[in-house]
Amino acid sequence: MTDDGVALDLARRRRLLVATLAATRLAAAAGAGPVLADCRRWFDRWAGVGLVAAGMARQGFDLELTRFGDEGWRATFSPAGRAHSVATGSAWEATPWRAVQRAAWEALG
């Protein structure tokens, strides 16, 4: 694949990731249709965390996910590499999947 092909594929994957994250946000709204509800059910579990983390890794982000006892979860996306002093997306939620989704949305925004 040429450099242009790689860039186009990366841009396509980014659009798909943003669309998926938007669907999970819309599904939280009252009266969301069955398709959005199915999307939310699919991504609101550990498999969804893995899918979002893999998609963000392709976009050049590392994920740090921390559980704080029964208080909740913090997800932080930073530019890939060893130094994670600059967070580009961070969220605190009751569940790990919601924290990851919100932090990814913030990082890509």
Side-chain angles (χ1 to χ4, degrees), residues 6-55:
V6 170
L8 287 173
D9 186 55
L10 188 60
R12 181 184 64 80
R13 287 177 180 264
R14 183 182 182 103
R15 286 191 305 271
L16 288 170
L17 183 58
V18 169
T20 301
L21 292 169
T24 62
R25 293 172 64 90
L26 286 173
V35 172
L36 292 178
D38 286 346
C39 182
R40 186 72 181 225
R41 277 191 293 277
W42 178 254
F43 279 89
D44 282 2
R45 56 189 199 172
W46 283 108
V49 170
L51 291 169
V52 173

Side-chain angles (χ1 to χ4, degrees), residues 27-106:
V35 172
L36 292 178
D38 286 346
C39 182
R40 186 72 181 225
R41 277 191 293 277
W42 178 254
F43 279 89
D44 282 2
R45 56 189 199 172
W46 283 108
V49 170
L51 291 169
V52 173
M56 291 297 286
R58 284 188 197 97
Q59 297 299 316
F61 292 95
D62 287 342
L63 169 63
E64 181 180 345
L65 182 61
T66 307
R67 179 176 173 260
F68 291 90
D70 293 333
E71 296 177 39
W73 294 77
R74 184 184 65 217
T76 305
F77 284 101
S78 304
R82 289 182 164 229
H84 291 149
S85 60
V86 179
T88 55
S90 185
W92 176 274
E93 289 285 340
T95 62
W97 32 88
R98 298 274 169 89
V100 168
Q101 291 165 15
R102 278 199 42 229
W105 180 259
E106 185 179 309

